[in-house]
Amino acid sequence: MNITTTDYHTAGEPFRIVTGGLPPVPGDSVAERRAIAIGAGGTATSPRRGALDDVRRLLTREPRGHAGMYGGFVVPADDDEAHFGVLFWHKDGYSTACGHGTMALGAWAVDTGRVAAPDDGTALVRIDVPSGRVSATVHRRAGRTTAVTFRNVPTRVLARKVELAVSGGSVAVDLAHSGAVYASLPAAALGLSVVPERLPALTAAGREIRAALEGHPALAEDRDGVYGVILYDELADAPSGPNQRNVTVFADGQIDRSPCGSGTSARLALLADEGALRSGQTLRHESIIGTVFTGRVRAYGLEGAVTEVTGAAHRTGEHRFVLDSDDMLGAGFLL
């Protein structure tokens, strides 16, 4: 196996873009390709083994990756209106949405010349993802990419104040679908705060809440169930609007180092729904490591709130990964 990648990070969260060495990715749409990658009888967080999934395992496992790795396979777009498509993946499987990955892909598309861009101004990169069509507006100054604005598929509020019994007592969570389903609750409801020192407890809480929501009626239309659990702290309002710090625990206990792009969309829709984010205001959304996204609701439609999230993506390296046939560890391991 011989795989080439270009790696980015968006606000601290990695995104590994596979640029060569992929086996064929069959399917007539991005959503169909994701289903084929997962495999018959597999699930989003427990896909079936296959040639394509062997690449995901190789790139997310030690010694070539790590349990916090994230990335994507670039595939054809659904039609000529988009520049390309992508299958998002993490250590456990395949997601339907990824805001930080969309930002990284927008920067990559412009930085590599795949999409033409001015030295000063913006370029629009349209990307088909399993949840629909999204876009990345790449901001440029003096020939350099300075920021990327991710416009998500519409976000809709699914349920408010869903009561759950957890080990610490009873908590209420809010559910929103922003390309994937996110559950939100204040960290203080569990006696926690969003700081690195409490990360083990935050991770355990996220896992427990995700498990407790399995089979909830509000999720009946989404076969993947809850993708991420957002635990947040309320901070003093910024001049432009609400200010929160969050950590998103997704898949099987993976931690988003960024403020979570699609998760920020979920928070925007929920805050607007409860009147905490007014027209024209911006959410300042901070991660557990102190990096920041800003987000806003641009419009409302029958399908939900149209949100935009802005952050910065930076290239971290270009790689060629190989798998020696005599390597006893094969595709690697997770700790």
Side-chain angles (χ1 to χ4, degrees):
M1 192 179 294
N2 193 319
I3 306 295
T4 59
T5 72
T6 300
D7 285 20
Y8 276 73
H9 83 84
T10 306
E13 179 71 356
F15 195 77
R16 179 162 283 172
I17 303 165
V18 178
T19 56
L22 272 184
V25 187
D28 294 327
S29 68
V30 172
E32 184 178 344
R33 290 183 180 94
R34 176 179 181 265
I36 291 171
I38 290 171
T43 67
T45 52
S46 184
R48 298 290 297 271
R49 292 292 300 274
L52 189 65
D53 198 58
D54 284 345
V55 177
R56 178 191 67 83
R57 291 167 181 262
L58 184 83
L59 298 178
T60 57
R61 297 181 173 208
E62 296 185 56
R64 299 166 189 85
H66 54 79
M69 181 54 67
Y70 213 112
F73 300 140
V74 177
V75 297
D78 290 353
D79 59 46
D80 293 339
E81 296 299 315
H83 292 98
F84 53 87
V86 62
L87 302 183
F88 295 122
W89 42 257
H90 45 76
K91 73 175 176 66
D92 296 308
Y94 299 87
S95 58
T96 53
C98 179
H100 91 274
T102 300
M103 294 184 207
L105 285 161
W108 167 77
V110 165
D111 292 346
T112 59
R114 185 167 187 146
V115 175
D119 284 346
D120 293 281
T122 62
L124 182 66
V125 182
R126 294 178 296 275
I127 306 169
D128 284 331
V129 307
S131 56
R133 181 161 293 163
V134 298
S135 67
T137 298
V138 182
H139 304 266
R140 304 269 289 170
R141 186 173 63 246
R144 295 178 60 85
T145 294
T146 57
V148 183
T149 297
F150 156 59
R151 177 170 282 210
N152 200 4
V153 298
T155 299
R156 62 187 189 276
V157 175
L158 299 179
R160 304 298 304 243
K161 306 303 179 187
V162 176
E163 293 286 338
L164 299 175
V166 294
S167 56
S170 177
V171 296
V173 304
D174 297 323
L175 300 175
H177 193 294
S178 54
V181 178
Y182 289 88
S184 293
L185 75 160
L190 293 164
L192 299 171
S193 57
V194 182
V195 293
E197 296 77 20
R198 303 308 306 273
L199 189 56
L202 291 163
T203 304
R207 278 179 155 148
E208 185 177 11
I209 289 165
R210 182 171 178 265
L213 283 164
E214 187 171 350
H216 190 276
L219 309 174
E221 296 182 8
D222 196 296
R223 65 186 300 269
D224 289 341
V226 172
Y227 172 65
V229 176
I230 303 171
L231 298 113
Y232 63 88
D233 288 342
E234 296 279 5
L235 306 177
D237 282 357
S240 57
N243 185 13
Q244 295 185 342
R245 180 188 302 118
N246 92 97
V247 64
T248 300
V249 184
F250 65 92
D252 186 20
Q254 194 162 335
I255 298 299
D256 199 326
R257 278 77 171 157
S258 81
C260 189
S262 300
T264 299
S265 289
R267 294 300 306 142
L268 287 164
L270 289 165
L271 287 166
D273 180 67
E274 65 195 42
L277 180 73
R278 299 187 300 277
S279 177
Q281 286 192 312
T282 297
L283 168 66
R284 181 185 182 275
H285 213 204
E286 186 176 322
S287 75
I288 195 168
I289 65 169
T291 55
V292 175
F293 287 161
T294 56
R296 61 211 62 82
V297 176
R298 284 301 191 192
Y300 294 93
L302 294 176
E303 296 181 341
V306 177
T307 62
E308 290 184 343
V309 180
T310 299
H314 301 277
R315 186 172 57 175
T316 60
E318 297 178 2
H319 309 283
R320 182 170 70 90
F321 294 100
V322 299
L323 176 56
D324 190 315
S325 60
D326 295 327
D327 188 343
M328 63 176 291
L329 288 176
F333 59 92
L334 292 171
L335 288 178

